[in-house]
């Protein structure tokens, strides 16, 4: 099974990487930078995982105000079933984030920095399903500030597992 899985990963990893980059660029309305590394059966065994490093999502408000970072993820793993990959069904079952932060911000007029996706609802392809069973956050910071109400909050998560059926 492991040998068969390795052959499949080698064969499909370039198409999966290209697919992810294409879909990110079609879906989001702001500058996103990321390094898509490898597809692996070892890191989240028995699931197959796609490793992405140095994910930077810039604030949507950067067009109006100073440039800032909405989201930074040092390493994120998306897990899926290898049989889905063979059938070109990109069903994401889990997300593991290792080190990062999100900085949610409202300006003085109440406009948020996190509405960065395209408004068009037909951008999600038929072969992509986000069917999360588990989300793991490790060393993750959350900052919330609202200039219209003059308050801010911060939290640091050492380790958190969130499980259930998310969609």
């Amino acid at each position: 099974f492991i040998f068969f899985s390795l052959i499949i990963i080698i064969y499909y990893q370039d198409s999966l990487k290209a697919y992810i980059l294409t879909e990110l660029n079609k879906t989001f309305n702001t500058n996103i930078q990321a390094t898509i590394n490898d597809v692996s059966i070892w890191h989240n065994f028995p699931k197959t995982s796609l490793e992405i490093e140095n994910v930077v999502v810039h604030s949507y408000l950067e067009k109006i105000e100073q440039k800032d970072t909405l989201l930074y993820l040092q390493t994120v793993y998306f897990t899926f079933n290898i049989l889905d990959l063979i059938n070109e069904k990109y069903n994401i079952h889990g997300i593991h984030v290792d080190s990062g932060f999100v900085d949610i911000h409202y300006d003085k007029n109440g406009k948020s920095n996190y509405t960065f996706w395209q408004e068009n609802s037909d951008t999600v392809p038929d072969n992509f399903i986000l069917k999360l069973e588990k989300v793991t956050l490790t060393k993750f910071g959350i900052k919330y500030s609202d200039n219209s109400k003059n308050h801010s909050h911060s939290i640091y998560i050492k380790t958190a597992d969130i499980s259930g059926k998310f969609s």
Side-chain angles (χ1 to χ4, degrees):
F1 176 76
I2 292 174
F3 179 73
F4 176 69
S5 298
L6 288 172
I7 299 286
I8 291 169
I9 287 171
I10 291 168
Y11 182 77
Y12 284 101
Q13 77 175 344
D14 289 336
S15 67
L16 180 63
K17 289 177 185 181
Y19 176 83
I20 294 291
L21 282 175
T22 301
E23 291 308 313
L24 282 175
N25 287 327
K26 282 197 301 188
T27 305
F28 296 112
N29 177 354
T30 188
N31 186 19
I32 297 177
Q33 300 164 331
T35 302
I36 298 179
N37 285 342
D38 291 322
V39 178
S40 169
I41 61 168
W42 307 115
H43 191 269
N44 292 293
F45 190 80
K47 298 279 189 192
T48 304
S49 64
L50 172 66
E51 177 186 347
I52 303 176
E53 291 186 320
N54 301 316
V55 178
V56 177
V57 178
H58 293 284
S59 168
Y60 185 66
L61 291 178
E62 77 181 51
K63 295 175 183 174
I64 301 166
E65 299 178 358
Q66 77 278 3
K67 184 174 183 175
D68 74 24
T69 300
L70 167 65
L71 176 71
Y72 171 76
L73 307 173
Q74 182 176 338
T75 308
V76 60
Y77 299 92
F78 293 95
T79 60
F80 49 92
N81 185 309
I82 194 150
L83 296 176
D84 290 340
L85 183 61
I86 293 168
N87 295 316
E88 295 183 1
K89 300 276 186 200
Y90 302 105
N91 301 332
I92 297 175
H93 296 277
I95 298 174
H96 178 125
V97 174
D98 187 13
S99 298
F101 70 86
V102 62
D103 185 0
I104 300 169
H105 175 76
Y106 287 88
D107 67 12
K108 62 184 176 187
N109 299 318
K111 186 169 180 173
S112 73
N113 70 336
Y114 62 85
T115 308
F116 56 86
W117 50 87
Q118 297 284 350
E119 295 289 329
N120 192 349
S121 63
D122 65 350
T123 59
V124 178
D126 292 336
N127 62 344
F128 176 80
I129 298 173
L130 185 62
K131 202 173 181 178
L132 293 176
E133 296 164 1
K134 184 176 182 181
V135 176
T136 302
L137 301 174
T138 306
K139 298 180 271 183
F140 192 78
I142 301 171
K143 181 179 176 187
Y144 172 87
S145 61
D146 188 335
N147 289 349
S148 69
K149 297 180 181 171
N150 199 27
H151 63 84
S152 65
H153 309 280
S154 295
I155 188 169
Y156 178 77
I157 299 170
K158 187 174 180 180
T159 302
D161 288 327
I162 305 164
S163 60
K165 296 272 183 181
F166 307 100
S167 57

